[in-house]
């Protein structure tokens, strides 16, 4: 089965070629996927004070402009042999409209641009980005930059520290998506586990413990064993398994940037308890990473 046979692209609001459009086009061409383009209808803020009739006329003109641009993109994609469709979505409730549309179209991945400030190396997330990260039930590919080629290096970041069924299931979904993406792009897949000395690695730690060097080494050894078992099950070679000590929110971004990974695959899981940290870790990593992100919902 082609895990990415139907893609949904949320077009850049300024309606111009963008990294997400490039990535979606290349993935669709490489996988034979159908590509559904969506442009959010946006009424400029300085027109919001117009009366109802003028505002309606402005919205109609905006929809016609976006529709014409989308038609042009569909024709260009068809010329490359890509089966593409397009539509405009009103911006009054974009999150629910996009999720509804993705479900109706049986989409396998949602693709969207995310912008980075070069000087600060920080991602600029819009409110829609935040809501999609937390509510989108499908893999969400936030594209920071895309050269005219498929991703050449893919990194899957997992959390093997917690004996939590929900986290374990999410780890499996992360590797499934990462492996599928790497295979479609003919890219090597690497596996990363960031860990900090904590009671999560010490089953018998019913009380505070002194983190001696010996204990830290013991924790590291058992973490490496977990990594080896997990990596072996997914066919990730030992030299592509990376165990790094430090907070995940900073270690993942630093490692991905240092080794020029094109895409980092992470999970989002939002419910009460420790599992909620996974979601916030993915969000915080976006502020520290130059790579694109593929967020897998739990």
């Amino acid at each position: 089965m082609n895990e990415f046979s139907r893609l949904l692209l949320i077009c850049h609001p300024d309606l111009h070629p963008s990294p997400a459009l490039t990535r979606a086009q290349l993935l669709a061409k490489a996988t034979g996927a159908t590509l559904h383009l969506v442009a959010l209808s946006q009424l400029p803020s300085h027109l919001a004070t117009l009366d109802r009739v003028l505002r309606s006329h402005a919205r109609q003109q905006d929809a016609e402009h976006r529709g014409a641009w989308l038609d042009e993109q569909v024709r260009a994609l068809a010329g490359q042999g890509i089966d593409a469709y397009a539509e405009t979505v009103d911006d009054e409730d974009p999150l629910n409209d996009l999720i509804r549309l993705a479900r109706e179209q049986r989409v396998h991945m949602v693709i969207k641009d995310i912008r980075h400030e070069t000087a600060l190396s920080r991602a600029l997330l819009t409110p829609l980005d935040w809501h999609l990260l937390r509510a989108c039930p499908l893999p969400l590919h936030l594209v920071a930059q895309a050269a005219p080629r498929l991703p050449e290096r893919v990194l899957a970041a997992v959390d093997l520290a917690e004996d939590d069924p929900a986290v374990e299931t999410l780890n499996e979904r992360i590797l499934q998506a990462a492996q599928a993406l790497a295979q479609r792009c003919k890219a090597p897949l690497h596996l990363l586990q960031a860990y900090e000395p904590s009671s999560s690695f010490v089953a018998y730690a019913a009380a505070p413990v002194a983190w001696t060097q010996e204990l830290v080494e013991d924790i590291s050894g058992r973490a490496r064993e977990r990594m080896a078992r997990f990596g072996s099950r997914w066919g990730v070679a030992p030299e592509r398994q990376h165990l790094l000590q430090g907070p995940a929110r900073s270690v993942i971004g630093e490692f991905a940037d240092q080794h020029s990974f094109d895409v980092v695959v992470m999970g989002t899981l939002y419910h009460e308890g420790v599992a909620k940290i996974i979601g916030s870790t993915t969000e915080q990593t976006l502020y520290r990473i130059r790579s694109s992100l593929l967020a897998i919902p739990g």
Side-chain angles (χ1 to χ4, degrees):
M1 176 183 176
N2 185 348
E3 292 85 351
F4 305 127
S5 63
R6 301 186 70 86
L7 309 175
L8 186 147
L9 169 68
I10 303 174
C11 298
H12 193 283
D14 295 334
L15 303 182
H16 60 57
S18 68
L21 177 58
T22 299
R23 178 62 51 79
Q25 172 185 320
L26 291 170
L27 284 175
K29 195 166 185 178
T31 63
T34 298
L35 180 55
H36 198 103
L37 286 75
V38 176
L40 299 181
S41 177
Q42 291 185 320
L43 187 65
S45 57
H46 67 278
L47 299 180
T49 57
L50 295 177
D51 65 39
R52 182 180 302 175
V53 174
L54 291 177
R55 199 161 53 240
S56 175
H57 181 63
R59 283 193 177 278
Q60 181 179 350
Q61 287 186 320
D62 177 72
E64 291 174 353
H65 170 63
R66 293 179 184 278
W69 184 84
L70 287 172
D71 289 343
E72 181 181 344
Q73 305 310 307
V74 169
R75 287 193 297 270
L77 291 166
Q80 301 178 44
I82 298 173
D83 191 13
Y85 303 87
E87 65 183 276
T88 298
V89 170
D90 192 85
D91 66 348
E92 290 185 3
D93 189 12
L95 177 65
N96 288 328
D97 286 343
L98 288 167
I99 292 176
R100 172 188 53 77
L101 179 61
R103 284 175 168 157
E104 289 176 354
Q105 298 298 325
R106 299 180 181 178
V107 168
H108 298 136
M109 180 192 292
V110 177
I111 305 174
K112 186 182 182 299
D113 287 288
I114 185 170
R115 187 157 54 97
H116 284 79
E117 275 291 328
T118 304
L120 300 176
S121 296
R122 295 172 74 91
L124 296 182
L125 273 68
T126 67
L128 180 58
D129 294 330
W130 287 110
H131 291 312
L132 284 170
L133 273 173
R134 298 181 179 189
C136 184
L138 304 165
L140 174 64
H141 190 15
L142 294 173
V143 183
Q145 51 191 340
R149 56 171 174 72
L150 288 168
E152 296 180 343
R153 291 171 63 80
V154 178
L155 176 67
V158 294
D159 181 1
L160 303 175
E162 301 296 335
D163 293 322
D164 183 325
V167 176
E168 292 172 2
T169 298
L170 181 56
N171 287 332
E172 299 288 334
R173 297 190 65 188
I174 290 171
L175 260 293
Q176 182 179 13
Q179 190 175 73
L181 178 64
Q183 289 175 348
R184 297 295 181 273
C185 298
K186 297 180 173 59
L189 172 62
H190 289 246
L191 182 63
L192 184 147
Q193 160 75 56
Y195 79 98
E196 295 181 89
S198 71
S199 58
S200 301
F201 283 94
V202 185
Y204 52 81
V209 296
W211 296 112
T212 64
Q213 184 61 34
E214 291 76 12
L215 183 55
V216 170
E217 290 176 359
D218 179 56
I219 291 170
S220 175
R222 282 184 286 125
R224 195 170 300 281
E225 289 177 8
R226 292 187 182 189
M227 168 76 82
R229 288 197 302 269
F230 188 76
S232 175
R233 193 161 75 249
W234 286 93
V236 180
E239 64 270 19
R240 293 179 181 169
Q241 299 175 18
H242 311 282
L243 181 67
L244 302 178
Q245 184 177 343
R249 60 184 177 274
S250 57
V251 166
I252 295 171
E254 291 171 0
F255 184 83
D257 290 345
Q258 289 170 3
H259 297 275
S260 302
F261 282 96
D262 297 297
V263 180
V264 177
V265 186
M266 297 181 66
T268 56
L269 190 59
Y270 293 95
H271 59 65
E272 294 302 319
V274 69
K276 187 175 181 181
I277 297 175
I278 297 176
S280 63
T281 297
T282 302
E283 293 173 1
Q284 292 175 49
T285 299
L286 272 172
Y287 284 100
R288 296 173 168 85
I289 193 170
R290 298 186 183 91
S291 307
S292 298
L293 179 79
L294 178 56
I296 307 301

